[in-house]
Structure formats: structure tokens, C-alpha cells
Amino acid sequence: MFEELSALHARPALHSVVTTPALWTDTHISERMLAAHLDPQVDLSSYRAEYLEKVAAWIIARFDIRAGRRIADFGCGPGLYTTRFARTGARVTGLDLSARSLAHAESLAREEGLTIRHLRQDYLSYRDDERYDVIVMVMRDYCALTPDGRRALLGTVREHLDAGGRFVFDVDSASAFAGVREQVVHAPDLMDGFWSADAYFGFHHTYRYDAERVSLDTYEIIEAERHRTFFNWVRYFTPDELVGELNDAGFDEVDILGDLTGAPYDAAAPHFAAVASRRTASGGHPTPPSPPLET
């Protein structure tokens, strides 16, 4: 038992395991994730309803989302943004791993008579012939990726943006890392049964990787017949670090904003946003200079 508990509490090597797809494909967990998405009062899988409306409105206004425009939502979940974008008449694509969330997104589109292309795809490996004027990724998904994952994502975005296209997303800030505390919590049916429909014991560990400014939350879920571990990595960025990654990936024009409503950047805030574009699109054609962002 001592050896088993010692292994349970051992610090994992940085980015040694990635379990993100399991959150969206497990039947029980994906149901609980969808419920969190649809709860307008919590910032868990989606932002609270009031802020979500402001984000959608700002993106629509700032990037001229309308009939004839093409926009993709990477990690679209249950269609909270794709539905709002499609109401403008734009051509909308949503990508997500969760069949359950995509089914909800499709039902929303049908109820409103909207045409939206929802794809069950991993945005790290997604490829098709469509090109977009705008690609958005909301709720700081970028920070949950490994360095290789971020490079893969940026390659996907770069390939699918048309001339003059923009990539719009938000990240966790370096200031938020100061609030991360290493800890361990143990409870029967940890998080009110979130991890399984069957009885289980749960161990939640939080680790800091100070040199890399990364946190890790692990969830050890021990049931009568199985033992699973879920990893949630978060990378916390300064604007210079984020701009550096984007420049290295071929995005030579980057604007840093305070959030996805166009607020000014605040170094003390837990999150900030970026708008990235390239002077050349995927086909190598010159991109006209981008107009300055208005906040």
C-alpha cells in the first residue's frame, strides 16, 4: 500500500502524459462537461453567459462577420459561438472532439434553421480545402497544449487562414501563475461524481513547474474495476512569450488585447487575448496590411 501511495503522489515529468481527448470522448464525463458548458453561471467549460455574449458581439463587429465571410471555431463545444456567428449569415464551421457536444450544437442550429458545418475533428490534425477569414479559439485552450501541440495547432491555423485572415484566441497570463498552489485533495466521488457514474475514490493533485511556468492538475480516479488518471496542463504566458511563439510559427502581425471583448491589456489580469495574422496566406499570396485594432 505504501508503494502504491508513493507512486500516486509522484510528480509527473513535464508534459509526459496528455489525456485531453478522454475528457470529451468518455460517455459520462462528456455529459458532465456538456452540463458545465450550458450552465450560464459558471466559468468552467464555457464563459458565463453575460461575458459570452460580449465576446461573440465583439468578434462579429471587429472582424465584420456577415454573409460571405468564413469563420471557424476550434473547440466549438455545444455551438454557443457557432450559432451566434451563423445568425449573421456567415459561413461557419465548428470543430470539436465531443460527439455529445456536437449533437447539441446541431440541435441548436436546426431549431433556428441555421446552416453550420460541425465536424468531429481534432484541430491539431484537421485538414480540408476550406479557407477562413477568421479562426477563433475561446476559453484558453491554447494553454492546455504541449509545446508540440501548440506548434501543430498553429500549423493548422496557418494552413487554413485565407489572405488577410486572423486567428483570435485567449490565454492564461503569467500573473495567474502566482496564484497556483501545490496541494492534494482526496474524497470519495471527488467533484460530486464528475468522473464516473460508479462509486470511486478521487485524488486531485496540483503541481507547479516554475522554470517553465506550467501547472498540472492530476485526477486519480480509482474504481472497483479500474484506475484512471486525467492530466490538465496549463501554460501561463507573458505577451512577449506568446508573440515569440506566434512569430516562430509564421505569424508576423500580433496584437495583444486584455480579453476577447477588445479591452486593453492589463498585466495584472489572469487572462489576455491575441489576434494574429500573416503577411502571406497558406497559398503564399501577399496579404494586405492589417488595419489597427480598435479597443
Side-chain angles (χ1 to χ4, degrees), residues 13 64 69 83 87 127 147 173 188 211 217 229 236 238 243-244 256:
D64 191 25
R69 299 280 279 171
T83 300
R87 289 171 187 161
R127 294 292 184 277
S173 72
D217 287 285
T229 308
Y236 301 80
T238 66
V243 170
I256 298 296

Side-chain angles (χ1 to χ4, degrees), residues 4 8 10 13-14 46 62 65 70 84-85 103 106 112 127 145 158 169 173 187 196 215 230 252 260 262:
E4 292 175 351
L8 193 71
L14 183 66
S46 297
R62 178 61 190 85
I65 307 303
R70 300 154 300 169
R84 287 162 172 80
F85 298 151
E106 285 290 304
E112 296 195 33
R127 294 292 184 277
L145 301 173
R158 188 178 62 244
F169 64 108
S173 72
S196 177
S215 69
F230 299 91
D252 42 26
L260 290 175

Side-chain angles (χ1 to χ4, degrees), residues 66-94:
R66 54 175 167 77
R69 299 280 279 171
R70 300 154 300 169
I71 183 169
D73 183 356
F74 282 14
C76 67
L80 301 178
Y81 293 96
T82 54
T83 300
R84 287 162 172 80
F85 298 151
R87 289 171 187 161
T88 70
R91 194 161 80 198
V92 180
T93 298

Side-chain angles (χ1 to χ4, degrees), residues 140-223:
R140 313 187 307 281
D141 276 22
Y142 189 83
C143 298
L145 301 173
T146 66
D148 286 344
R150 297 196 298 272
R151 284 189 286 271
L153 167 71
L154 293 176
T156 299
V157 171
R158 188 178 62 244
E159 182 170 332
H160 291 85
L161 278 179
D162 207 347
R166 308 290 184 87
F167 177 38
V168 187
F169 64 108
D170 56 352
V171 298
D172 291 277
S173 72
S175 63
F177 186 64
V180 175
R181 299 287 181 267
E182 293 203 335
Q183 63 175 353
V184 59
V185 176
H186 162 251
D189 296 336
L190 181 73
M191 298 171 59
D192 297 322
F194 178 91
W195 298 101
S196 177
D198 299 323
Y200 63 88
F201 293 97
F203 293 83
H204 172 200
H205 291 78
T206 301
Y207 301 98
R208 289 173 56 102
Y209 299 78
D210 292 270
E212 299 82 4
R213 205 181 300 112
V214 169
S215 69
L216 169 63
D217 287 285
T218 64
Y219 301 88
E220 300 274 356
I221 307 304
I222 302 171
E223 302 169 79

Side-chain angles (χ1 to χ4, degrees), residues 235-273:
R235 169 72 161 91
Y236 301 80
F237 285 93
T238 66
D240 287 347
E241 290 167 342
L242 186 62
V243 170
E245 285 200 357
L246 291 164
N247 289 165
D248 288 345
F251 295 87
D252 42 26
E253 296 181 2
V254 181
D255 293 281
I256 298 296
L257 303 174
D259 62 21
L260 290 175
T261 70
Y265 172 71
D266 178 358
H271 317 130
F272 65 94

Side-chain angles (χ1 to χ4, degrees), residues 45-67:
S45 298
S46 297
Y47 287 119
R48 294 174 189 263
E50 181 180 2
Y51 181 69
L52 185 154
E53 293 290 355
K54 291 179 180 178
V55 170
W58 180 78
I59 290 173
I60 289 168
R62 178 61 190 85
F63 301 100
D64 191 25
I65 307 303
R66 54 175 167 77

